Amino acid sequence: MIDTPGLVGGFLAASVRVATPLLLAATGETVSERAGVINLGLEGMMLAGALASALGAAWFGPWTGVGFGMLAGMALAALFALVAIGARADQIISGTALTLGAVGLTGMIYRQALGTGGAGPAVATLQAIRVPGLARIPLLGPALFDQPAPTYLAFLLLPVVWWVLFRSRPGLALRATGESLAMARANGIRTGWVRAGATIAGGAFAGLAGATLVLAQVGSFAERMTAGRGYVAIAIVVLGRWHPAGVAVASLLFGVATALQFVFQSLGLAVPYQLFLMLPYLLTLLALAGAVGRMRAPADLGRG
């Protein structure tokens, strides 16, 4: 007899788990874009965070790996801020170049430190933390209360980011910088520092997202393992209308789409599995195609 509640609960838990890196990366990108900086280097920062966390976990343990991942993301974000904000280079070009550079750099370091190719050695991971009592709630219990620490952290950070953006003076200065750079400068806001700070904060989130991939999901590092998740996270920010709550909903939607491909593959249908792998990315294209023209981005997004 099929345990339908168990299957549905497992599906929802998988959806939340795979949505966590996207949610973390998209939350950081929301902060960055609210300040007027579009960061296409997000994919590279996630990849650097993944490699650094794998090395940190292999040497000192999983929580040190998390710290290494965040530091790697912040270091690349600082480099991006130096070029795109300090030197006023085109944000699109410099972000793309950063991602391409990160792909090559992480591949080289990985081969030097962990081997010559394929998946790296397994590292110690962050185990799921089961909340007593709440984890036994039918359907939603396993999804919300039996997850690794980064999942709880991702959802706890959402109200914090919302409060900072919409209820604090630094958040007001950040949003003013993204909406009108000239007016913000006229009011004495040091826009360069605001944008740099928002970008580096976004890098910390991206590094944490990469660490989550390694330490809470895969348990190992592989070259290019982020597989476009950074770009999907940028699309999620658009779909979420640059708001933490909207970003959370959009992230869970993509988590469901990703988990759904696993279900389709398990059914053994006579369909090439690559079609199922396309599902989240196809959803990204369809969602963006339907959203374009109806979303209002920060007015000075991408302008320096």
Side-chain angles (χ1 to χ4, degrees), residues 164-224:
V164 170
L165 284 178
F166 299 104
R167 290 292 185 273
S168 71
R169 291 183 63 85
L172 178 62
L174 187 148
R175 288 186 290 120
T177 301
E179 290 294 340
S180 176
L181 200 60
M183 287 293 292
R185 285 173 179 159
N187 282 280
I189 296 174
R190 303 177 72 178
T191 56
W193 287 107
V194 170
R195 283 188 159 186
T199 302
I200 293 173
F205 275 90
L208 180 57
T212 301
L213 267 179
V214 170
L215 302 176
Q217 294 189 8
V218 179
S220 181
F221 177 83
E223 291 185 59
R224 305 188 183 196

Side-chain angles (χ1 to χ4, degrees), residues 6-304:
L7 289 176
V8 174
F11 172 75
L12 293 177
S15 300
V16 172
R17 189 162 51 251
V18 298
T20 299
L22 294 174
L23 175 58
L24 287 166
T27 301
E29 181 67 10
T30 300
V31 174
S32 175
E33 293 197 12
R34 277 287 185 174
V37 180
I38 183 167
N39 180 11
L40 291 188
L42 193 65
E43 174 82 4
M45 294 172 194
M46 287 182 67
L47 195 57
L51 176 61
S53 66
L55 295 175
W59 294 334
F60 304 110
W63 281 108
T64 304
V66 171
F68 274 36
M70 294 180 69
L71 287 175
M74 292 173 69
L76 286 191
L79 177 61
F80 174 69
L82 184 65
V83 175
I85 301 170
R88 298 189 178 185
D90 185 276
Q91 294 179 11
I92 302 297
I93 295 173
S94 53
T96 304
L98 182 70
T99 289
L100 294 175
V103 169
L105 182 63
T106 54
M108 181 190 70
I109 295 175
Y110 162 74
R111 289 168 185 266
Q112 292 292 325
L114 298 175
T116 57
V123 297
T125 57
L126 300 168
Q127 300 301 311
I129 300 173
R130 186 178 177 85
V131 180
L134 296 177
R136 297 174 64 86
I137 297 174
L139 301 182
L140 293 180
L144 300 179
F145 303 108
D146 192 8
Q147 297 283 356
T151 298
Y152 298 119
L153 184 60
F155 284 96
L156 289 174
L157 284 172
L158 282 174
V160 175
V161 171
W162 173 83
W163 185 85
V164 170
L165 284 178
F166 299 104
R167 290 292 185 273
S168 71
R169 291 183 63 85
L172 178 62
L174 187 148
R175 288 186 290 120
T177 301
E179 290 294 340
S180 176
L181 200 60
M183 287 293 292
R185 285 173 179 159
N187 282 280
I189 296 174
R190 303 177 72 178
T191 56
W193 287 107
V194 170
R195 283 188 159 186
T199 302
I200 293 173
F205 275 90
L208 180 57
T212 301
L213 267 179
V214 170
L215 302 176
Q217 294 189 8
V218 179
S220 181
F221 177 83
E223 291 185 59
R224 305 188 183 196
M225 67 178 297
T226 48
R229 287 180 176 84
Y231 299 116
V232 172
I234 294 172
I236 285 173
V237 174
V238 178
L239 294 174
R241 297 172 183 255
W242 294 270
H243 192 285
V247 164
V249 173
S251 297
L252 290 173
L253 175 65
F254 282 93
V256 169
T258 305
L260 203 57
Q261 66 169 303
F262 301 143
V263 174
F264 287 152
Q265 291 186 58
S266 68
L267 293 177
L269 301 176
V271 178
Y273 75 92
Q274 290 88 348
L275 292 178
F276 301 134
L277 296 178
M278 290 172 54
L279 191 58
Y281 304 101
L282 184 62
L283 179 62
T284 302
L285 291 175
L286 291 176
L288 284 177
V292 168
R294 291 183 295 172
M295 304 297 187
R296 182 189 173 280
D300 271 351
L301 179 62
R303 298 175 183 172

